[in-house]
Amino acid sequence: MSRNRPDSPCIALCSTALGDNVCRGCARTFGEISQWCFMGDDEREAVWLRLPQRQRLLQLAAACGVLLELDSLDGVEWGRLPDGSRYRFDEQGVLHRLGRDGAAESLRGDALTPQQAAAWLRRA
């Protein structure tokens, strides 16, 4: 591993023990947390690299008043809302929404507050 990182992303604000699928503290999934000590360096680094994106998804889920649920579509993680629509940020900060019907929309998301982004996601 080329980066100097702490032993774990844990920040002692665990929420998976409360039933969350994604920890609101460190942004790891329950599976990643439970397997952390068994992962190799490359696997751990892959998790570390996903965490900043997940933190943004967590903030947006909270602004929507829901817990973060994750789906992987073609190797890309998406947040999922209770209505079945999905959302994600890309590397340029663009917020993408994929409706249940497959319709895709995008919005420049880097200047939005989580509340503004949540309002856009929830609109029909």
Side-chain angles (χ1 to χ4, degrees):
M1 187 169 11
S2 61
R3 296 185 182 224
N4 185 18
R5 298 196 187 272
D7 290 337
S8 167
C10 183
I11 59 170
L13 294 174
C14 304
S15 67
T16 56
L18 303 173
D20 292 357
N21 290 324
V22 179
C23 180
R24 288 180 254 172
C26 69
R28 290 181 294 166
T29 65
F30 177 78
E32 290 165 347
I33 293 168
S34 63
Q35 292 300 308
W36 188 257
C37 62
F38 303 109
M39 289 181 182
D41 288 345
D42 290 343
E43 291 173 294
R44 287 182 182 186
E45 184 63 17
V47 172
W48 276 106
L49 294 174
R50 286 191 291 268
L51 298 182
Q53 166 74 354
R54 284 207 196 135
Q55 289 290 351
R56 293 186 77 187
L57 295 177
L58 278 165
Q59 289 175 343
L60 196 44
C64 288
V66 299
L67 297 175
L68 177 59
E69 299 292 337
L70 291 174
D71 288 333
S72 182
L73 302 173
D74 297 323
V76 177
E77 281 189 344
W78 292 73
R80 180 176 18 94
L81 293 174
D83 70 0
S85 62
R86 294 174 173 90
Y87 61 96
R88 73 176 183 91
F89 288 96
D90 66 19
E91 298 79 24
Q92 289 76 37
V94 176
L95 177 59
H96 300 274
R97 176 178 50 208
L98 185 61
R100 290 178 311 207
D101 60 359
E105 294 182 84
S106 300
L107 178 69
R108 187 83 194 152
D110 53 357
L112 296 174
T113 67
Q115 292 74 22
Q116 291 169 323
W120 180 76
L121 285 176
R122 289 189 305 248
R123 75 174 170 79

